[in-house]
Amino acid sequence: MAWNIISALVENKPGVLFRVSNMFRARNFNIESLSVGPTEQSDLSRITVTVDSDEHVTEQMVKQLRKLIDVVDVTRLQVSDTVYRELALIKLKAVDPSSRMEIINLANVFRGKIVDVSKSTIMVEITGTPDKIDAFKSLVEHYGVIQLARTGVSALPRGVLYE
Amino acid sequence: MVEMSGSQALIHALEKEGTTIVFGMPGGANLPMYDELTRSNIRHVLVRHEQSAAHMADGYGRIKRKPGVCFATSGPGATNLVTGIGTAYMDSAPMVAITGQVPRAMIGRDAFQECDIIGICTGITKYCFQPRSAAEIPEIVKKGFYLAESGRPGPVLIDIPKDVQQEVSDVTFPELIRIRGYSPHVDPDIDQVARAVELLLKAERPMIMAGGGVHISCAFHELQALAELLMIPVVTTFKGKGAFPENHPLALGPIGMHGHAEANKLIIESDVLLAIGARFSDRSVGKFDEFGQAMKIIHIDIDPAEIGKNKQVDVPVVGDVRASLRALVKMLTKRVAKKGGDCPWLKHINEVRESMKSVYKDHPREITAKKSLKKLRELLPSEAIVTTEVGQCQMWTSLFFDIIQPGTFFSSTGLGTMGFGFPASIGAKAAKPEVPVVDIAGDGSFNMTENSLAVTVNDNLPVIVFLMNNQSLGMVAQWQRLFYNRRYIGIDLKGGPDFVKIAEAYSAQGIRAQSMDELDKAIRTALKSDVATVIDIPIDPEEDVFPFVAPGTGLKDMITAA
Ligand SMILES: Cc1ncc(C[n+]2csc(CCOP(=O)(O)OP(=O)(O)O)c2C)c(N)n1
């Protein structure tokens, strides 16, 4: 098993995300994260999928994706040659001033941002590789995670003319 | 640009695609398109159940090699099509299914007869369209036909809201369409063809496994040329049955669960397997991991996703089967002269074939499935089209009915749909009225869609139903006999009906054949008849199909008797 990033350019129109996710479900492929959003071309969206899978299964995912009529292009991104990021919002319990300070310090170390503070909670926005987000989460878990939202990975290959 | 309604645009677009016949049933949500049919030369065949409309379109499409068209209304009309669409999808048959949908403003409100048919059919179609304006219809129809028949064919659904059918708009009929996410690989990669050539030339025990792709791309001559050039024996998958003349000295017949004993035994002995337009289904190769470990595999397929899906292969050739075989033969003829038939492998093949003859025991009755099918073959011209239902009837056909003229056989091999054969045979008859068309049936399957007898009479599509009547769901009974210690449940069909009377009730012809003599006469009568004929052949409910590869086992574990 290996961690893989698959990037697909798809038609930006209704029903496409359903077709893609339905294919993953029907073929019994397990996906770890999936993110969708617009691209530089208004009629195309990019779907980024991360999976933990065998080589053979990953190849099948790519081929089955390519087979979908609405999928215009599929690339398997080389992890070492790719910039990939995820954004997480983490709302933590922070009632006493000392834990509040500790969380702010940890967030700084991770280049996170404090985006919301209430009497009893503090919300951190953190961007980075999924590993970095996992690491931050494990460091702050003991304060009490009230809510957590992650976007899934967005990725682009490094370099300028490569696609 | 012309002004017309959505349904006018639809029917005109269908005519432009060369559609001359549609199978279907009207209802509230597709009445506008039906109304437009009254002003068209397109022939409409009224079915008695939409499932049969889809199977008819499927049978028509498989014989014509272009999409058969079926119509259904929204809601239950559309859901009734589903089995037929799924059947076509699994067998890569070209089809365009057109459903009515509730008006745009009603979609998503659980309106009367609303059903999210696109949600239901997405996994069993090549693509689904829902035009949101009349102006989109011509392009969608053109794209639909192109998708359905090109590359690896399959069904396409076009779901048209009723008010879009009625809307009047300026429309244009495009000559060219572009689908940027779709470009079927037609021509093979020459380097891969060269690697295939090397492997084939080095092989000591080569074998060809021909699948449905040979039928779809009509590559019968190319296949035969290749086999004869290198004297390679040919097995087929069940879907590939009849891709190669089964009376040819190199033909070993279908492999798989109900394959020929010699084919199953010999394919696993080969050292180089050339799989052509085949998808290594579990029915054909048994256990995936066990199959083909010792052999090198070359795999030709137009669908890149088939490469490595069920089986890792050594040389993938992605391309149209016909184009790929042509490239292969061309390259090979530069390298070798035609081989003689005296190599040790062919000698071995003939020995195995002889030794396997004893496996095919016959049942003691006077009239049996095996004997009946041999008789049918004897009397049926080789250009006749044959299809089957599902069950023992299908497997006996695999074993005992040789297809001599390539391209004259098809069956629901992927989904295994009972009730497919009869309506599909009617579709095939519509595609090729000049040849006899026979559905080899079991009573359970025929029961499911027998109401299409009405269509054979009203629409003058006389087919022959060759009904091997064991008064039971024979295949299931055989499994209960073999794997459940004869604990029978849910297999008894003794309640009838009397199929001779059923045929007569529809003004078709019914003949009961209780001896080989009567069967001989019945077949001759049926071949001359201008109405559909049901030949009801009572056989022993305990006549089993052997040889047999039990599910979940490998080809080598073939069982040859109870
Ligand atoms: C629509 C559908 N339902 C159930 C089955 C499961 N099934 C496979 S074979 C079979 C029995 C078929 O009986 P019959 O048509 O009488 O043929 P026989 O096996 O007796 O020749 C059944 C129920 C199926 N293949 N298709």
Side-chain angles (χ1 to χ4, degrees), chain B residues 306-319:
Chain B
E306 281 307 333
I307 308 287
K309 185 184 80 183
N310 289 346
K311 196 76 221 159
Q312 297 298 324
V313 299
D314 302 275
V315 181
V317 179
V318 177

Side-chain angles (χ1 to χ4, degrees), chain B residues 390-393 396 416 418 442-445 448 470 472-476:
Chain B
V390 170
Q392 291 177 310
C393 51
W396 282 315
M418 288 170 70
D443 46 333
S445 299
M448 286 199 176
N470 50 16
S472 62
L473 298 172
M475 187 83 263
V476 180

Side-chain angles (χ1 to χ4, degrees), chain A residues 11 13 18-19 22 27 43-44 56 60 63-64 66-72, chain B residues 119 122-123 126-128 147 152 179-182 303-305 307-309 312:
Chain A
E11 298 285 352
K13 59 183 190 196
F18 168 66
R19 288 190 171 109
N22 194 46
R27 299 250 170 220
D43 55 351
L44 289 178
H56 155 73
Q60 258 302 302
K63 286 175 175 172
Q64 293 293 346
R66 283 205 181 110
K67 188 167 164 173
L68 297 175
I69 311 292
D70 289 322
V71 174
V72 175
Chain B
T122 292
K126 239 177 124 171
Y127 201 70
C128 298
L147 286 172
R152 177 180 187 164
I179 307 172
R180 58 181 165 180
Y182 180 74
D303 181 356
I307 308 287
K309 185 184 80 183
Q312 297 298 324

Side-chain angles (χ1 to χ4, degrees), chain A residues 48-79:
Chain A
T48 309
V49 183
T50 65
V51 294
D52 209 3
S53 54
D54 291 339
E55 177 55 27
H56 155 73
V57 176
T58 318
E59 262 313 295
Q60 258 302 302
M61 285 182 195
V62 169
K63 286 175 175 172
Q64 293 293 346
L65 269 173
R66 283 205 181 110
K67 188 167 164 173
L68 297 175
I69 311 292
D70 289 322
V71 174
V72 175
D73 191 36
V74 185
T75 336
R76 255 180 90 175
L77 297 175
Q78 293 300 322
V79 176

